[in-house]
């Protein structure tokens, strides 16, 4: 576990959070390199399928970040994200994925520091939790 | 249906009388469908075409070509009626979603009721016809009667079945009655008491467990008085009861036991006959209920108010007594389940019956033909559609593979 | 005309799919007129060895129902794949695991312990468990191996067509049989016997604005028979489920459970449904959202009722 470097997928909305991340970069703020960023047009675009796929394909944690309530470029995209989030967590939990592995944050274009802080903290959380490794049964193989 | 009843118990609700009648109406239709399918598709090929008919012909299509398209059409029509009635009530005939804790989700309109009544009328006629057919084809053939009554197809055990307050056969509700090989009642229980009466044994060579009577203990695969083995399904139900609750079925019931030489009957092939007696009962009950003034009632559901905890539901599945037992948390999320399903009850009896039949037909010096091996399978087929179809094919969930070994262990024949 | 060679087989199945084929009723005779049924365990007398002897590709169409739960199911799936020119995953179990695959929430050992040890009616002081091989005086008895996972058919062999439904309805079966007979099948890999649009599209109920303040479980409410069930707070999977069944459950005043599977282009019916639900709950604050969603007691079990074998998070790799 000592050397465990978590893989975290971050779905960042184009208008706020991605800009926030950009700002963090431009401002040369220090944050762990574990986040792989996927830019989406809106946090509302983050279909739960994306989250499941991320875990299936090796992610240890998933961050969804969008504009602050009221600021969504598409009026209520983030509002939909927020309304489905608890259900997403519950389903993940039933599938054996700890709640702490998924995080929803509102980060504006001006909040580079907030962004860096979130990534830092989240990476620590995932590091503590350890890798999410689901041995998936292989189709067609003899499985005991 | 058993699950629905177990859920009523989990939620501690008593369902309205109209809901109970609707459920029984649905369930009678289910029996009509299942018994028609089993008798005509699985049993009839053996009797109508004969045990040694060409296997490629020995199926329902073969039966249709032998008895004629008219009769075949009637068989299909009445099974279709039964399916239609179920779908009418419950949205779909297979895996209905209509039973809810506290009742049923939809009622029956007067227009639908009239349709059901008409179809039920016709089903009664068809059930009578089926019994007549059985008489003409099987009972008038001395060879078949001898076979049915022969030692190789006799299995002496206890019997189990659901009965109403008058000890008459009931499929949907009542108490489970157990009689010993002499027909003497040795137990009668309501669903929550099932654990005092039934236990299950495990063998390493089968995924299916072997239920037995707790009071007698696991006695191995043994016959006779005192054995822990019991049988369920049509013949056992008739053996365990004191008669049928509808007039025509009662007549047929008496006639059957007169011919078989009294009750209980241990002749396992008589299960096909018992099945037809039950078909008649189910059809009559269908008709009775379709004419019941309460059947179009609208008071069909109670919303449960208590905290769910634990419950047992028992019905008679076409293939035997079916027990569902659930425990839940306060949210009604199931935390533990125990099921003893119809076929399971007959698990040990099936092995015993097959062994006896094999002993009877496979003898030194007798050439082992396909017909002979089929006669062994017939012992199996008298029990259960799930299994019997498995044997028809010799694979499926529970394959029966007949391999005949010589005294020296060499394989003489197999199929 | 040369008759078609048709096979119907069941693996880890409840038998309902076979009953569904019988439910074409009198048309079964029409089917028999154009097709030789070379294998149908529930209705005809063909033996294992008969199939083994068939040449590869000699079955024209095989309707395979049931999931793959044990080594015998797998063996038959492979054998029938080899013998069949067209293999159809027939019914929800074969398509995506169906009800049997709900067992994938549990581990193999837990299942075996529960069945052979913990159930209150079981008396098993020696802890006997079924094993693949056991010695008896007459020789060795074999049992198929119980897998740790319930598979869909296409996780084991290649499948040509998918036909969803638990079970598929007789009308759709008849249509598909006609398509097969006339050689009018869509490209390989397609879903047949179902519509391209959602069940809601077929549903006769009145639909207004979906705004939900509270969810009900089916035993908690007597819904208005004319209005959309989802609007009344019942978890109806209609919006994310393919049409084709004729809204059977809806007609019984019960919500759709999703047996016709995901819409075209959708990977996960369950994930899609989480989105739909999010969009229609009527809440502004965190507390309100949580309170409303707390009414959904078992989302995974409800949204993945028929799709556990292929679920992204628990399903097997194809
Ligand atoms: S799809 Fe449904 S009807 Fe078909 S075998 Fe599976 S559970 Fe049974
Ligand atoms: S959600 Fe259900 S009830 Fe509502 S329109 Fe869709 S299928 Fe019909
Ligand atoms: S309403 Fe839904 S669950 Fe019911 S049969 Fe149709 S698709 Fe299946
Ligand atoms: S655009 Fe940023 S959350 Fe919608």
């Amino acid at each position: 576990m000592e050397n465990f470097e978590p893989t975290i997928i971050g779905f960042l909305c184009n208008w706020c959070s991605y800009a926030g991340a950009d700002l963090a970069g431009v401002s040369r703020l220090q944050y762990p390199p574990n986040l792989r960023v996927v830019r989406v047009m809106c946090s509302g675009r983050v279909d739960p399928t994306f989250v499941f796929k991320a875990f299936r394909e090796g992610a240890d944690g998933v961050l969804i970040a969008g504009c602050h309530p009221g600021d969504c470029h598409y009026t209520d995209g983030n509002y939909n994200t927020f309304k489905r989030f608890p259900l997403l967590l519950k389903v993940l939990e039933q599938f054996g994925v700890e709640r702490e592995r998924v995080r929803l944050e509102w980060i504006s274009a001006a909040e580079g520091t907030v962004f860096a802080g979130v990534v830092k903290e989240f990476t620590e959380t995932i590091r503590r939790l350890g890798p999410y490794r689901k041995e998936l049964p292989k189709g067609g193989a003899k499985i005991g | 249906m058993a699950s629905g009843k177990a859920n009523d118990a989990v939620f501690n609700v008593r369902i309205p009388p109209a809901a109970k009648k609707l459920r029984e109406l649905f369930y009678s239709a289910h029996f009509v469908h299942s018994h028609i399918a089993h008798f005509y598709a699985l049993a009839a090929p053996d009797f109508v075409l004969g045990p040694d008919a060409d296997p490629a012909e020995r199926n329902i299509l073969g039966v249709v070509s032998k008895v004629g398209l008219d009769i075949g059409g009637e068989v299909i029509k009445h099974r279709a009626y039964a399916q239609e009635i179920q779908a009418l009530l419950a949205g779909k005939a297979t895996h209905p979603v209509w039973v809810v804790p506290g009742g049923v989700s939809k009622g029956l309109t007067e227009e639908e009721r009239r349709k059901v009544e008409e179809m039920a009328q016709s089903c009664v006629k068809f059930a009578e016809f089926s019994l007549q057919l059985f008489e003409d084809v099987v009972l008038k053939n001395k060879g078949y009667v001898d076979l049915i009554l022969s030692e190789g197809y006799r299995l002496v055990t206890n019997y189990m079945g659901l009965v109403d307050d008058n000890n008459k056969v009931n499929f949907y509700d009542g108490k489970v009655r157990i009689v010993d090989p002499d027909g003497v009642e040795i137990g009668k229980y309501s669903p929550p008491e099932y654990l005092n009466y039934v236990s299950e044994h495990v063998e390493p060579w089968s995924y299916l467990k072997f239920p037995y009577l707790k009071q007698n203990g696991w006695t191995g695969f043994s016959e006779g008085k005192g054995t822990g083995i019991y049988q369920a399904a049509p013949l056992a139900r008739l053996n365990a009861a004191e008669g049928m609750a509808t007039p025509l079925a009662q007549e047929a019931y008496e006639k059957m036991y007169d011919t078989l030489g009294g009750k209980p009957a241990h002749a396992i092939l008589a299960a096909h006959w018992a099945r037809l007696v039950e078909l008649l009962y189910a059809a009559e009950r269908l008709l009775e209920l379709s004419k019941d003034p309460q059947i179009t009632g609208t008071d069909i559901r109670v919303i449960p108010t208590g905290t769910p905890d634990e419950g047992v539901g028992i019905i008679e599945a076409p293939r035997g007594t079916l027990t569902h037992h659930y425990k839940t948390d306060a949210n009604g999320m199931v935390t533990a389940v125990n099921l003893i399903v119809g076929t399971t009850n007959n698990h040990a009896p099936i092995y015993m019956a097959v062994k006896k039949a094999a002993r009877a037909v496979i003898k030194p010096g007798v050439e082992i033909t396909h017909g002979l091996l089929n006669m062994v399978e017939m012992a199996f087929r008298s029990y259960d559609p799930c299994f019997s179809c498995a044997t028809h094919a010799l694979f499926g969930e529970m394959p029966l593979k007949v391999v005949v070994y010589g005294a020296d262990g060499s394989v003489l024949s197999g199929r | 005309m040369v008759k078609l060679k048709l096979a119907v087989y069941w693996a880890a199945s409840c038998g309902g799919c076979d009953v569904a084929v019988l439910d074409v009723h009198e048309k079964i005779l029409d089917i028999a007129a154009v097709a030789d049924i070379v294998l149908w365990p529930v209705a005809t007398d063909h033996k294992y060895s008969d199939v083994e002897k068939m040449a590869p590709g000699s079955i024209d169409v095989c309707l395979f129902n049931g999931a793959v739960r044990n080594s015998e199911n797998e063996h038959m799936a492979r054998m029938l794949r080899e013998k069949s020119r067209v293999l159809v995953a027939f019914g929800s179990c074969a398509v995506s695991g169906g009800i049997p695959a709900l067992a994938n929430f549990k581990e193999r050992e837990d299942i075996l312990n529960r069945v052979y040890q913990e159930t209150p009616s079981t008396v098993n002081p020696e802890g006997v468990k079924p094993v693949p091989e056991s010695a008896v005086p007459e020789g060795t008895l074999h049992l198929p191996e119980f897998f740790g996972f319930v598979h869909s058919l296409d996780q084991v062999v290649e499948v040509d067509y998918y036909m969803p439904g638990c079970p598929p309805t007789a009308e759709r079966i008849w249509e598909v049989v006609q398509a097969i007979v006339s050689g009018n099948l869509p490209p390989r890999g397609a879903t047949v016997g179902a519509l391209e649009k959602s069940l809601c599209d077929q549903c006769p109920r009145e639909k207004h604005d979906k705004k939900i303040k509270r969810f009900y479980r089916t035993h908690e409410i007597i819904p208005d028979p004319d209005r959309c069930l989802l609007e009344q707070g019942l978890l109806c999977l209609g919006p994310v489920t393919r049409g084709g069944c004729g809204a059977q459950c809806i007609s019984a005043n019960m919500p759709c459970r999703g047996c016709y599977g995901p819409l075209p282009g959708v990977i996960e019916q369950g994930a899609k449904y989480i989105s739909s639900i999010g969009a229609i709950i009527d809440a502004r604050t965190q507390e309100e959202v949580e309170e409303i969603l707390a009414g959904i007691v078992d989302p995974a079990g409800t949204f993945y009722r028929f799709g556990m074998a292929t679920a992204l998070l628990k399903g097997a790799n194809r």
Side-chain angles (χ1 to χ4, degrees), chain C residues 169-236:
Chain C
T169 66
E171 293 76 24
R172 298 286 93 78
I173 295 172
W174 177 238
E175 281 168 19
V176 169
V177 168
Q178 282 175 304
I180 292 170
V181 171
S182 61
N184 226 340
L185 281 165
R188 280 189 65 198
T191 293
V192 293
L195 306 179
E196 300 292 298
K197 287 194 173 153
S198 79
L199 180 67
C200 290
D201 207 62
Q202 277 200 307
C203 175
R205 293 191 176 230
E206 287 166 34
K207 294 146 225 170
H208 303 283
D209 199 18
K210 293 192 178 39
K211 277 278 167 250
I212 295 168
K213 272 268 172 226
R214 186 197 151 171
F215 286 106
Y216 293 90
R217 289 156 79 196
T218 51
H219 64 274
E220 293 173 336
I221 183 177
I222 301 178
D224 178 337
D226 300 319
R227 272 182 56 216
C228 165
L229 292 160
L230 188 51
E231 282 173 20
Q232 300 181 63
L234 284 159
L235 288 168
C236 182

Side-chain angles (χ1 to χ4, degrees), chain A residues 56 79 83 94 139-140 143, chain C residues 78 151 155 281 283 298 300 312:
Chain A
R56 185 181 179 98
Y79 175 56
K83 287 196 295 174
Q94 284 185 294
I143 333 104
Chain C
R78 290 189 190 286
H151 298 263
Q155 287 168 348
I281 57 173
D298 178 19
L312 280 171

